[in-house]
Amino acid sequence: MSSQHSDTRTQILQATWQLMEQHLGQPIKMGDVAKAVGISRQAVYLHFKSRTELMIATSNYVDEIKGLNERLNIYKKATTGVERLEACVEVWGHYIPEIYGLAKALLATRDTDEATAAAWNNNMHCLRDLCQEIVETLKQEGLLNSAWSPEEATEIFWTMMSIHHWEQLTVECAWSNQQYIDKMTVMLKKMLIK
Amino acid sequence: MSSQHSDTRTQILQATWQLMEQHLGQPIKMGDVAKAVGISRQAVYLHFKSRTELMIATSNYVDEIKGLNERLNIYKKATTGVERLEACVEVWGHYIPEIYGLAKALLATRDTDEATAAAWNNNMHCLRDLCQEIVETLKQEGLLNSAWSPEEATEIFWTMMSIHHWEQLTVECAWSNQQYIDKMTVMLKKMLIK
DNA sequence: ACTGGGATTGACACTATGTCAAGTCAACAT
DNA sequence: ATGTTGACTTGACATAGTGTCAATCCCAGT
């Protein structure tokens, strides 16, 4: 509980996150984390009993710092479905680039590591709930495109907002982030709204 | 050049592919491949000098067997842009599940292995060209939604058709493959066509 | 009967994770 | 001042996987 303890722990988390952002998907090594902090590899294991645990702790740490929750203040001001949709894309669109490294790192282990996959899914289900809420609002306003059931609409919305989708458009197709936000808003409106 | 040589080689490729389909993204081990074929681990290295080379060779092997080219016979019959779009989604939608394991395996190494990434990108750029062709056709027919430049339309189309998109809708959201094809067709028409 | 190529066996180097034991060092207690 | 506690170090080890090497085996074609 000493400040030293939590200091080192925080330094490790900070370094891990930084390495994730730098390496963008390439697996980070425990030794590299230790070197970055300036401690021995074994010291890392004093704070996190495995690589998996470190990854998950890093995810939680980033959540704490960059958490979506506060961001949703913008969102909460919106009342109509359309406004909410716009706010959601805006908030999420600005959020992704800040957590892209972390997201890639967690997604990379998805198929081999149940636990980190779960940590990531947890984040994504928050987004999904938001999508669902917006779809519900649109439905109540009678604006939901009748081609989809509310469930389908939610799933389409959610899928369109995925990190992979963002990655392909910005990284592969070299869209700017603003372009992503603008075009995604137009696309979603076209698809979901009557 | 003896039939034995190419026999074993083919068996290795076959086994690798099979393991990829079974493991869905989990990295496959050289030892497992060897075991599956019934040869020693070292024998695999007589045919493929590294794991990377084996992965790429497997990709080419699958291409040979399941190649998109022949599938596009359906596509070639279509003349109008809308028909082509429909045919494209149909062909691609049936193709993905057959190569999903391979795709996951190659995508999984994307960030750590330049060479396998290139092999996969190669495949994806074929699809991209097709998307572009369809967008051009639509444009010539005056049907392309004026919200997008032809380039943007191509990139949106291409991104919507990505494996990750398919994966999220079918694996995460439990859509049937037919549902994917049907809904994707509707979505793309809504988005791309005036 | 000989040779060459596919395959085997077993050893090795290397890298990364994770565990263990022994010891250092500083802060804080009595 | 002494002793204890807790964070950290050092160095060794087990394990698992990739990739290399050398020696050997065995069979098919000349």
Side-chain angles (χ1 to χ4, degrees), chain B residues 23-173:
Chain B
H23 288 59
L24 283 185
Q26 277 153 55
I28 59 155
K29 293 168 240 165
M30 299 301 268
D32 289 347
V33 172
K35 206 182 294 172
V37 179
I39 57 176
S40 67
R41 188 172 68 90
Q42 283 61 23
V44 179
Y45 283 98
L46 293 179
H47 294 274
F48 307 94
K49 76 168 194 288
S50 70
R51 211 170 155 282
T52 297
E53 199 174 293
L54 174 58
M55 304 268 284
I56 293 170
T58 305
S59 171
N60 294 333
Y61 173 69
V62 172
D63 267 354
E64 240 172 63
I65 292 179
K66 297 251 173 210
L68 267 176
N69 295 329
E70 309 93 58
R71 311 257 181 144
L72 296 177
N73 292 328
I74 308 166
Y75 170 78
K76 280 174 192 155
K77 284 182 196 152
T79 51
T80 73
V82 175
E83 277 171 354
R84 283 184 160 196
L85 186 151
E86 284 169 353
C88 176
V89 177
E90 175 91 11
V91 171
W92 183 246
H94 284 299
Y95 186 61
I96 299 176
E98 295 181 30
I99 53 130
Y100 178 50
L102 175 73
K104 283 226 84 168
L106 292 181
L107 283 170
T109 66
R110 217 156 86 111
D111 301 302
T112 47
D113 190 332
E114 267 305 314
T116 57
W120 180 249
N121 281 342
N122 200 34
N123 290 335
M124 287 312 283
H125 281 296
C126 292
L127 178 64
R128 193 189 166 125
D129 291 343
L130 197 61
C131 292
Q132 186 167 14
E133 217 176 293
I134 293 167
V135 166
E136 282 304 323
T137 309
L138 287 171
K139 197 195 167 188
Q140 277 163 25
E141 293 169 348
L143 286 174
L144 186 63
N145 191 313
S146 48
W148 330 112
S149 71
E151 205 180 48
E152 278 173 351
T154 302
E155 286 163 350
I156 290 167
F157 191 175
W158 184 49
T159 300
M160 295 282 293
M161 302 283 275
S162 79
I163 304 277
H164 284 131
H165 207 117
W166 178 88
E167 185 180 35
Q168 183 145 350
L169 289 172
T170 60
V171 179
E172 299 267 335
C173 299

Side-chain angles (χ1 to χ4, degrees), chain A:
Chain A
M1 211 48 58
S2 78
S3 71
Q4 276 178 356
H5 174 195
S6 55
D7 239 35
T8 305
R9 196 189 142 92
T10 306
Q11 273 180 279
I12 293 171
L13 291 170
Q14 186 65 44
T16 305
W17 184 19
Q18 205 170 312
L19 287 171
M20 280 173 171
E21 295 294 336
Q22 280 163 17
H23 288 57
L24 283 184
Q26 277 152 54
I28 59 155
K29 293 167 239 166
M30 299 300 269
D32 288 348
V33 172
K35 205 181 295 171
V37 178
I39 57 176
S40 67
R41 189 172 67 90
Q42 282 61 27
V44 179
Y45 284 99
L46 293 179
H47 294 275
F48 306 95
K49 76 169 195 286
S50 70
R51 212 172 155 282
T52 296
E53 198 175 292
L54 174 57
M55 305 269 285
I56 293 170
T58 304
S59 171
N60 294 333
Y61 173 68
V62 172
D63 266 354
E64 241 172 62
I65 292 181
K66 298 251 171 207
L68 267 176
N69 294 332
E70 309 95 56
R71 312 256 183 150
L72 295 177
N73 292 332
I74 308 167
Y75 169 78
K76 279 174 192 153
K77 285 181 197 153
T79 50
T80 72
V82 175
E83 277 171 353
R84 285 184 158 197
L85 185 150
E86 285 168 353
C88 175
V89 177
E90 176 92 10
V91 170
W92 183 245
H94 285 298
Y95 186 61
I96 299 176
E98 295 180 30
I99 53 126
Y100 178 49
L102 175 75
K104 282 226 84 168
L106 292 180
L107 282 170
T109 65
R110 218 157 87 112
D111 301 302
T112 47
D113 190 331
E114 266 304 314
T116 57
W120 180 250
N121 281 343
N122 200 36
N123 290 334
M124 287 313 283
H125 280 297
C126 291
L127 178 65
R128 192 187 169 128
D129 290 343
L130 196 60
C131 292
Q132 186 167 14
E133 217 176 294
I134 292 167
V135 165
E136 282 304 324
T137 310
L138 287 171
K139 195 194 170 189
Q140 276 161 26
E141 293 169 348
L143 287 173
L144 187 63
N145 192 313
S146 49
W148 329 113
S149 70
E151 206 180 48
E152 278 171 350
T154 302
E155 287 163 349
I156 290 168
F157 191 175
W158 183 50
T159 300
M160 295 281 293
M161 303 282 276
S162 79
I163 303 277
H164 284 132
H165 208 117
W166 177 89
E167 185 180 37
Q168 184 145 348
L169 290 173
T170 61
V171 180
E172 300 265 339
C173 299
W175 288 23
S176 72
N177 200 48
Q178 194 55 52
Q179 194 179 3
Y180 166 85
I181 292 173
D182 294 345
K183 300 295 170 184
M184 191 58 72
T185 309
V186 175
M187 276 192 258
L188 285 168
K189 282 188 193 168
K190 238 181 236 304
M191 253 186 339
L192 299 177
I193 295 172
K194 215 169 244 175

